[in-house]
């Protein structure tokens, strides 16, 4: 097969037709109009690229500088990017981090929608606002809260024991006087308490009127891949609460007592919920191996779905005369204090694991985050008329909606044994933790019921 190559000169190439027309480069003139056209095209391309890829990051940079300069006094806050759309009321953000001495909050990305176009209907906050329209929605992807210290509590322990301040060395200039300094601190604490008590009536009066809850009666928050962590390198294990997907709804409704203003409540539905005791990174002490590993660590609780209900009364003021109520059976009792608690309902695939090793890790975490001051407890004074009422206990109720398993794990000479328990739906556990100290101290009450209990063990039966 023969090929014939034909070359075309530059002059002939200029005369070739393109799309049915002749183009001659000599006809183009580089005048001012053509230069302005090129500048406009380049500017438009640069502006589109900037708006698409860099504008949100530049806004995030300036917001980061402004927040740290004017608002963040202790800690640091970083905003990677921020985009605002006024027409849809949507704010999108990415790589948001807040770091303080005690905790760190991180959000990979998310958005916030404020529905400003919905009609504003004034309501009293004591009404049931849970059936109102949702004006504010928040979506958080990759949310993480890491609590690793309690500087204020350890700073108070330094003052109590007369140690040199190391938590806040520049905060206290008059703490080197031994017991005199302690008296001075107690005086400051009494002054702070009394001043806060004087401010309570103003706060209560404001809470009775219109507030932001009137404008935003219902808040919905969706979290994808969330985690709450407690621990640091000074404790052998870190407590991690993981959830793959969670949906929160916050609103208010009438309080249980007429003396209180209203009740805060938050409903949550979570999927693939896990509570894990994982080894702490960079821990240099003695290692206590768990009886078994389950993925990232020792899984204390796992459930396919879980429902959480948190409630708390917004306390009112103590009346001048005690308000008496008549019960259905005819008894006359004093009005109950504000209620505060949380209900947890576990769905399908619920497994509990505990044992001596897990209890030791709980003790390490509790001692670090709630260090004892070795001082005798003082009886909590009852609020006087005109002061703010206070809750006397925190109530927790844990129940199972389906069958669940409980494993009590023991380990000796690296050999793991277990007591395996199956419980039926409807089993529950109620814990009442007192929040006040009485004349005879306080008592934590734990009651529960396990239905259709079946237990087996791998241990040899002993006397």
């Amino acid at each position: 097969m023969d090929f014939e190559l034909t070359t075309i000169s530059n002059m002939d190439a200029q005369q070739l037709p393109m799309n049915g027309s002749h183009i001659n480069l000599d006809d183009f003139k580089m005048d001012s109009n053509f230069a302005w056209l090129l500048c406009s095209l380049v500017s438009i391309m640069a502006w589109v690229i900037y708006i698409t890829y860099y504008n949100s990051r530049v806004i995030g940079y300036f917001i980061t500088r402004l927040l740290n300069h004017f608002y963040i006094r202790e800690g640091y806050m970083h905003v990677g990017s921020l985009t605002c759309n006024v027409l849809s009321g949507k704010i999108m953000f990415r790589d948001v981090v807040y770091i303080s001495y005690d905790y760190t909050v991180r959000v990979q990305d998310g958005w916030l929608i404020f529905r400003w176009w919905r009609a504003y209907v004034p309501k009293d906050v004591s009404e049931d606002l849970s059936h109102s329209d949702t004006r504010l929605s928040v979506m958080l992807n990759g949310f993480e809260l890491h609590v690793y210290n309690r500087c204020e509590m350890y700073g108070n322990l330094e003052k109590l024991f007369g140690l040199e301040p190391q938590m806040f060395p520049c905060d206290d200039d008059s703490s080197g006087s031994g017991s005199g300094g302690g008296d001075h601190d107690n005086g400051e604490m009494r002054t702070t308490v009394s001043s806060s008590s004087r401010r309570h009536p103003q706060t209560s009066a404001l809470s009775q009127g219109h507030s932001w809850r009137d404008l935003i009666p219902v808040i919905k928050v969706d979290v994808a891949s969330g985690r709450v962590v407690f621990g640091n390198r000074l404790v052998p294990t870190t407590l991690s609460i993981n959830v793959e997907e969670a949906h929160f709804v916050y609103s208010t409704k009438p309080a249980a007592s007429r003396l209180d203003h209203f009740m805060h409540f938050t409903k949550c539905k979570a999927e693939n919920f896990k509570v894990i005791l994982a080894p702490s990174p960079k821990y240099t002490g003695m290692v206590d191996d768990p009886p078994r590993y389950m993925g990232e660590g020792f899984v204390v609780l796992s459930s396919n779905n879980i429902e959480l209900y948190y409630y708390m009364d917004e306390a009112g003021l103590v009346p001048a005369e005690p308000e008496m109520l008549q019960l259905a059976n005819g008894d006359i009792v004093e009005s109950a204090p504000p209620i505060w608690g949380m209900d947890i309902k576990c769905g399908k695939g619920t497994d509990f694991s505990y044992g001596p090793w897990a209890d030791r890790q709980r003790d390490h975490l509790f001692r670090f985050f709630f260090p004892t001051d070795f001082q005798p407890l003082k009886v909590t004074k009852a609020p006087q008329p005109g002061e703010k009422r206070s809750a006397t206990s925190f109530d927790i109720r844990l129940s199972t909606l389906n069958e669940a398993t409980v494993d009590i794990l023991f380990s000796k000479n690296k050999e793991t044994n277990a007591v395996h328990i199956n419980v039926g739906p409807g089993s529950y556990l109620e814990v009442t933790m007192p929040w006040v100290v009485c004349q005879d101290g306080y008592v934590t009450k734990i009651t529960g019921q396990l239905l259709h209990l079946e237990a087996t063990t791998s241990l040899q039966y002993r006397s």
Side-chain angles (χ1 to χ4, degrees), residues 307-327:
E307 297 180 6
L308 185 145
Y309 179 75
Y310 175 83
Y311 56 92
M312 180 181 67
D313 280 341
E314 182 68 26
L317 302 180
V318 178
E321 297 292 336
E323 181 177 348
M324 309 304 293
L325 301 176
Q326 185 175 3
L327 300 179

Side-chain angles (χ1 to χ4, degrees), residues 1-260:
M1 183 179 294
D2 297 332
F3 294 93
E4 181 180 357
L5 299 178
T6 304
T7 59
I8 302 175
S9 61
N10 293 333
M11 294 298 297
D12 296 334
Q14 294 178 1
Q15 297 178 0
L16 289 176
M18 297 184 67
N19 297 330
S21 63
H22 296 279
I23 298 177
N24 192 353
L25 297 178
D26 295 336
D27 295 337
F28 291 100
K29 296 180 180 180
M30 294 296 295
D31 53 2
S32 59
N33 294 331
F34 184 74
W36 280 112
L37 177 62
L38 290 179
C39 292
S40 301
L41 292 176
V42 173
S43 300
I44 291 174
M45 293 175 60
W47 178 251
V48 170
I49 293 174
Y50 170 76
I51 289 294
T52 305
Y53 296 103
Y54 297 100
N55 182 63
S56 59
R57 301 184 183 184
V58 172
I59 293 177
Y61 170 78
F62 283 107
I63 290 180
T64 299
R65 299 296 298 270
L66 292 175
L67 289 176
N68 288 287
H69 183 75
F70 291 104
Y71 296 101
I72 307 300
R73 300 301 178 186
E74 295 180 356
Y76 175 77
M77 187 168 186
H78 171 76
V79 180
S81 64
L82 187 71
T83 304
C84 181
N85 191 332
V86 180
L87 185 61
S88 62
K90 188 174 184 179
I91 299 176
M92 295 177 289
F93 47 85
R94 181 184 296 273
D95 192 19
V96 178
V97 181
Y98 175 71
I99 303 174
S100 68
Y101 293 111
D102 294 333
Y103 62 91
T104 298
V105 180
R106 299 176 183 270
V107 178
Q108 183 176 346
D109 57 70
W111 46 257
L112 180 149
I113 296 179
F114 180 76
R115 297 172 178 84
W116 52 268
W117 56 87
R118 287 187 171 172
Y120 171 67
V121 181
K123 294 182 180 179
D124 188 56
V125 292
S126 60
E127 300 179 14
D128 189 357
L129 303 180
S130 59
H131 302 291
S132 304
D133 294 333
T134 302
R135 193 180 299 273
L136 180 63
S137 299
V138 182
M139 169 64 186
L140 303 177
N141 182 30
F143 172 82
E144 179 181 344
L145 170 62
H146 186 184
V147 182
Y148 42 77
N149 205 352
R150 299 194 69 186
C151 292
E152 184 176 358
M153 179 171 289
Y154 280 94
N156 293 334
L157 291 178
E158 290 175 346
K159 295 179 182 179
L160 180 63
F161 296 123
L163 303 176
E164 295 184 0
Q166 296 181 359
M167 303 302 297
F168 303 102
C170 301
D171 230 8
D172 190 16
D173 297 333
S174 59
S175 60
S177 56
S179 61
D183 297 338
H184 178 67
D185 296 334
N186 294 334
E188 289 181 351
M189 292 175 62
R190 287 194 294 269
T191 304
T192 304
V193 172
S194 61
S195 62
S196 62
S197 300
R198 289 194 297 268
R199 290 195 297 267
H200 281 324
Q202 300 177 1
T203 306
S204 300
L206 289 175
S207 63
Q208 291 177 349
H210 299 294
S211 65
W212 62 268
R213 297 179 187 87
D214 189 19
L215 177 64
I216 311 175
V218 179
I219 301 176
K220 291 186 178 180
V221 180
D222 296 331
V223 178
S225 182
R227 181 167 63 171
V228 180
V229 181
F230 299 89
N232 55 34
R233 63 182 182 87
L234 300 179
V235 290
T237 57
T238 296
L239 178 64
S240 177
I241 304 174
N242 302 341
V243 61
E244 183 176 334
E245 186 176 349
H247 306 278
F248 297 86
V249 177
Y250 164 81
S251 186
T252 57
K253 63 181 181 180
S257 174
R258 293 183 299 177
L259 299 177
D260 302 320

Side-chain angles (χ1 to χ4, degrees), residues 300-367:
V300 179
L301 168 62
S302 65
S303 180
N304 294 344
N305 51 77
I306 192 171
E307 297 180 6
L308 185 145
Y309 179 75
Y310 175 83
Y311 56 92
M312 180 181 67
D313 280 341
E314 182 68 26
L317 302 180
V318 178
E321 297 292 336
E323 181 177 348
M324 309 304 293
L325 301 176
Q326 185 175 3
L327 300 179
N329 56 4
D331 296 340
I332 298 178
V333 296
E334 190 174 350
S335 181
I339 60 175
W340 180 29
M342 181 171 56
D343 295 340
I344 304 173
K345 297 180 180 179
C346 301
K348 295 182 179 180
T350 301
D351 299 321
F352 299 91
S353 298
Y354 207 70
W357 180 88
D359 195 68
R360 289 195 297 270
Q361 311 315 309
R362 177 205 58 80
D363 184 62
H364 289 311
L365 291 169
F366 191 87
R367 288 186 179 184

Side-chain angles (χ1 to χ4, degrees), residues 341-460:
M342 181 171 56
D343 295 340
I344 304 173
K345 297 180 180 179
C346 301
K348 295 182 179 180
T350 301
D351 299 321
F352 299 91
S353 298
Y354 207 70
W357 180 88
D359 195 68
R360 289 195 297 270
Q361 311 315 309
R362 177 205 58 80
D363 184 62
H364 289 311
L365 291 169
F366 191 87
R367 288 186 179 184
F368 183 86
F369 287 101
F370 299 95
T372 179
D373 55 3
F374 300 98
Q375 303 296 314
L377 295 176
K378 296 181 180 180
V379 178
T380 304
K381 295 182 179 179
Q384 300 300 316
E387 295 181 351
K388 193 172 183 180
R389 286 160 42 94
S390 59
T392 58
S393 64
F394 181 72
D395 302 325
I396 301 177
R397 179 182 174 89
L398 175 65
S399 59
T400 59
L401 302 178
N402 299 86
E403 294 184 356
T405 62
V406 182
D407 288 333
I408 309 298
L409 301 175
F410 301 86
S411 179
K412 185 176 181 180
N413 297 328
K414 296 183 178 182
E415 182 181 356
T416 301
N417 291 288
V419 176
H420 183 76
I421 303 173
N422 293 326
V423 295
S427 302
Y428 70 91
L429 187 70
E430 293 181 349
V431 182
T432 301
M433 296 188 296
W435 224 248
V436 294
V437 180
C438 303
Q439 293 290 343
D440 54 351
Y442 63 89
V443 177
T444 301
K445 297 180 180 179
I446 302 177
T447 59
Q449 185 178 21
L450 302 179
L451 303 178
H452 305 288
L453 180 66
E454 295 181 0
T456 58
T457 179
S458 61
L459 294 170
Q460 296 180 357

